Amino acid sequence: MTPMTGEPEVGKNQPATDPSHSLRHAAGPYFGAYGGRWMPESLIAAMDQLNDTFEAAKADPSFIAEVKELNKNYSGRPSLLTEAKRLSEVACGGVRVFLKREDLNHTGSHKINNVLGQALLAKRMGKTRIIAETGAGQHGVASATAAALMGLECVVYMGAEDTRRQSLNVARMQLLGATVIPVTAGSQTLKDAINEALRDWVANVENTHYLLGTAAGGHPFPAMVRYFHEVIGEEAREQILAQVGRLPDAVAACIGGGSNAIGIFHGFLDDPEVQLFGFEAGGDGVDTPRHAATITLGRPGVLHGAKSYLMQDEDGQTIESHSISAGLDYPGVGPEHAYLSDIGRVHYEPITDTEAMDAFSLLCRTEGIIPAIESSHALAGVLKIAARKIADGAVPEETIIIANLSGRGDKDVGTAAEWFNLIDTDAKDAK
Amino acid sequence: MSIVSKSAAAIAAARAEGRPALICYLPAGFPDVQGTIDAAVAMAENGADIIEVGIPYSDPVMDGSVIQAATVQALEQGFKVSQVFDVIKGITARCSATVMVMTYWNPVLRMGVDEFSRRLAEAGGAGLITPDLVPDEAAEWIEASDRYGLDRVFLVAPSSTEARMKATVAASRGFVYCVSIMGVTGARDTVSDAAAAVVAAAHAAGAENACVGLGVSARKHVEEIGAYSDGVIVGTALVAALRDGGSEAVGRLTAELSGKSVSA
């Protein structure tokens, strides 16, 4: 990490209204020392075309109206902001917790925000085919959904290991008309699915848009994916003001590549009184080799088109990540997060598999909501923030935390049933 | 500053003989470090003008399945990036071929661009071919390559605009690598028509040396491409030969590609 000694805390000494000091709407390609375009020349023309199309669309009221209409009447936005009163009582010492309910969006996660926007851009570019990578299947399902809605051909690359872990989501994508290609190269997980999608893109870039699912990759992907998710933070900010009349003390989100996190953070970046927390996948623990805590333990490097923190060995080879949550099982992280970490605006820390699964169970039983295991990392983080606030002397009832509930847990029922030993061993053996 | 480009000199020597330069690729550490050196020497003895040694990398997005399998094997056997310098020394000790290194960028970044460049120059390497580094992001490398007198070979593609072609040619030293097709490495029956257009665009943008790679696997491709380019780059076909028949098969294929008779 860059030492921050002597640097002014961003946002503290400058009025948030001064646009020159705003952290919002960072345009890229660079976020401090991160971002850029570390990728093959063959793809640069397509990235330029995408950037130009995106910039023109942002300035086009008809595009903005189209996105709004789809968000409202197809995805079901605005998503609710639900106060989790029993969770607060049972596990947070009375600290008030609000859940931003991205789990209630069509297809069950925040991913739909980005795919609808990018699919519209694909059509504007005259492309007839989209390709996507997926780990848990959420982004693959969302991409297949957008492709079906807009009449585009869709091919989803998924690590062979993940197609086995998430066979129901493979069937969902196929039902939606997508072709799912299992990737047998490398570790057979998300990063290898991205490699394979990039190889496809290089060969088919003329008619194909690569619909990247997270706020990583070369410019303009990080800024563009964030743009389509900014709605999460904007809604949450308005909703909390309407419900309690003030901004929260903290906002928490889980972070793999970081798209749901950057979306909700964006609404609060220029509110210095709101602390922001990103919770990475700690896997078996950051004292073991099995985790995906990229910012906590990674070093700057380049992967999949961007310079950012990266889990890598002393030779610059990517280290395979591990998390119980396939959606967080990625050895990189979006470049804007790397920047926000370095300047101290967002605090990043790891949550282990066990902590996440405990929080998963807790939310099921206190609120009647089955969260995605990804989002359970944010919930586990909320418990920690609440405990610290109380230890610091905060009045619990006057302390407010928003957690981004980025997805629902239906897809994780198999994993959770196994984790909590709910599956009959004989039946499992018979499979 | 006057830097004598080793790869440009090798291409000029081939041109003086009225033929395109033959540039042969193989990954370091495959089948093992000594095997790489032996195969590279076999290439040099059978007509290769430039040897392109690849650094195995965990995420090779520009490579097809044959090269991926070879580099995965090298990594599984414990290949370390610094061993590429041993490979270069081993090759240059036994033959006079020019040795370039082909590498994805993160391993260089991790070692430090300056340190990597210094060690490459010390080992006798001529420079780098960088498939996922565009000149736009290469300020540190351009400075280091000037400091240590190394060639920097960037790629141009059928999709490169005229402006990017000009900028890339201007940033390159030695030659520019013309990607013949929109795709990844791998042997193909025919070489795309796009190659001639890319080479013409590179020449028009001021490139003295424009060499063609991707999909080149047979003597007929060398003749066809050699008619309009300054050099021909062969990778996958040689890696497959090395995999199936060792350095002897590599020597045979190189001789065939160069149109020479086999030398043991």
Side-chain angles (χ1 to χ4, degrees), chain A residues 98-160:
Chain A
F98 290 77
L99 306 175
K100 181 59 177 161
R101 301 292 304 281
E102 293 297 297
D103 61 314
L104 296 178
N105 296 337
H106 180 45
T107 72
S109 79
H110 71 290
K111 295 288 187 188
I112 193 78
N113 306 328
N114 170 48
V115 297
L116 291 175
Q118 281 199 49
L120 286 175
L121 292 178
K123 291 196 77 158
R124 284 190 162 220
M125 291 184 287
K127 306 221 168 171
T128 55
R129 178 175 180 267
I130 59 170
I131 56 174
E133 80 295 340
T134 200
Q138 280 177 319
H139 175 59
V141 168
S143 298
T145 300
L149 178 69
M150 300 189 196
L152 299 164
E153 185 191 345
C154 179
V155 173
V156 179
Y157 289 93
M158 189 169 186

Side-chain angles (χ1 to χ4, degrees), chain A residues 37 41 195 199 302 315 317-318, chain B residues 58-60 81 106 137 160:
Chain A
R37 274 186 183 169
E41 169 67 21
N195 292 343
R199 293 183 187 113
V302 295
D315 262 1
Q317 310 286 354
T318 310
Chain B
S58 53
D59 296 274
V81 169
N106 200 52
E137 302 287 4
S160 301

Side-chain angles (χ1 to χ4, degrees), chain B residues 177-204:
Chain B
Y177 189 127
C178 299
V179 169
S180 68
I181 189 173
M182 294 301 286
V184 298
T185 59
R188 292 169 177 88
D189 286 342
T190 57
V191 172
S192 152
D193 295 341
V198 180
V199 170
H203 282 152

